[in-house]
Every structure is written in C-alpha cells, then in structure tokens.
C-alpha cells in the first residue's frame, strides 16, 4: 500500500514529466500508456510506480525533477521502495 506522501510525490512528478512534450512522449512510449489510459489510471499504484521507474532510469530527469519539486533525488528512490518496486 502506498502512502499519501508517495502518491502525492508521484503525481507531482507526473505533472513535471508532462510539462515537456519530449519527456511526456518518452514516458507514454516507455509505459505503453496513451493520454486516455493515463487519465483513467492516474491514481493507480502501477502508474505511480511507472513514474518513479521512469525517473530512476534517466538521471538527468531525476535530478531536474528533484530540483523542480524541491526535494532531494533520494526522496524518489525512497517513495519507489515504499510502493514495493
């Protein structure tokens, strides 16, 4: 079960991902989600896990997201572990 903090962080990070067309397309391509399926799955733990995995897979995005959201990069890793990834 995911905590409210991990869920909120995943949603904030997803918002950051979607601010860039290139990043958003890469996220959708890598996850197999479409804009419509993302909308219906936005609250799912699997979607939140995918957000953390996406960031973990590319350090420049991880660092930039952490900076934009004013958190340490390790916070993403902790939240990722918390949801059982």
């Amino acid at each position: 079960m995911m905590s409210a903090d991990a869920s909120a962080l995943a949603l904030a990070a997803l918002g950051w991902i979607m601010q860039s067309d290139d990043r958003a397309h890469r996220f959708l391509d890598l996850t197999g989600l479409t804009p419509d399926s993302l909308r219906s799955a936005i609250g799912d733990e699997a979607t939140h896990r995918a957000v953390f995995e996406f960031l973990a897979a590319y350090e420049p995005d991880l660092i930039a997201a952490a900076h934009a959201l004013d958190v340490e990069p390790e916070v993403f890793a902790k939240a990722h572990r918390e949801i059982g990834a």
Side-chain angles (χ1 to χ4, degrees), residues 7-65:
S7 179
L9 182 60
L11 292 173
L14 179 60
W16 177 83
I17 290 166
M18 292 298 148
Q19 289 177 0
S20 161
D21 286 342
D22 289 340
R23 235 183 353 254
H25 287 292
R26 189 165 31 93
F27 177 78
L28 295 174
D29 288 345
L30 290 171
T31 60
L33 293 166
T34 65
D36 287 336
S37 64
L38 177 58
R39 276 191 277 289
S40 59
I42 200 160
D44 294 351
E45 190 171 308
T47 302
H48 297 184
R49 189 177 306 113
V51 168
F52 295 133
E53 290 170 359
F54 176 82
L55 292 174
Y58 187 62
E59 188 175 5
D61 279 350
L62 175 69
I63 301 300

